[in-house]
């Protein structure tokens, strides 16, 4: 099946092109823009947030079962402050 093209023509120039409009892609775009980077293009093959980022939207988990995720979970207070604004 052929995927539809973008709803608008892509700009001729971008200083940064981000492939993937999940949490990582849009967060990267946000933080770049907040730090003065312009002409950012996010290219998403489906809908924004339609990948893994859409799946845990029922809540925020702060406990994990493996050492790597435990280390990430230890930063949750910072994440939760960011989410609350
Ligand atoms: C059921 C479930 C529960 C989870 N629970 C937690 C949790 O409690 N806590 C936690 O921290 N994490 C959790 N995660 C993990 C977390 O959701 C992911 O690590 C995170 O969302 C990944 O974000 P991402 O932007 O890297 O990937 P994604 O959200 O998958 O975004 C990638 C995007 O790139 C697009 N894409 C891919 N290839 C191309 C291409 N060639 N061209 C254009 N676009 C492309 C995809 O369509 C997609 O939209 C969970 C994940 C799942 C599935």
């Amino acid at each position: 099946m052929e995927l539809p093209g973008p709803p608008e023509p892509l700009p001729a120039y971008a200083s940064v092109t981000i492939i993937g409009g999940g949490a990582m892609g849009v967060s990267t775009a946000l933080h770049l823009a907040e730090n003065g980077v312009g002409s950012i293009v996010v290219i998403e093959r489906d809908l924004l947030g339609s990948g893994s980022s859409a799946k845990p939207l029922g809540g925020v988990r702060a406990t994990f079962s493996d050492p790597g995720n435990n280390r990430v979970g230890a930063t949750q207070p910072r994440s939760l402050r960011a989410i609350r604004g």
Side-chain angles (χ1 to χ4, degrees):
M1 186 182 88
E2 189 176 337
L3 293 171
E8 295 174 21
L10 290 173
Y13 167 83
S15 62
V16 179
T17 302
I18 298 169
I19 310 295
M24 293 304 296
V26 295
S27 177
T28 301
L30 171 70
H31 286 92
L32 287 171
E34 283 180 345
N35 284 282
V37 178
S39 303
I40 302 165
V41 171
V42 178
I43 296 179
E44 168 54 49
R45 67 181 170 187
D46 196 348
L47 297 171
L48 291 176
S50 60
S52 289
S53 299
K55 297 192 171 69
L57 288 181
V60 177
R61 184 174 60 179
T63 54
F64 299 93
S65 55
D66 68 86
N69 279 340
N70 280 338
R71 281 203 295 277
V72 174
T75 67
Q76 284 286 19
R78 177 179 174 277
S79 312
L80 294 175
R81 278 198 305 276
I83 288 169
R84 288 189 187 113

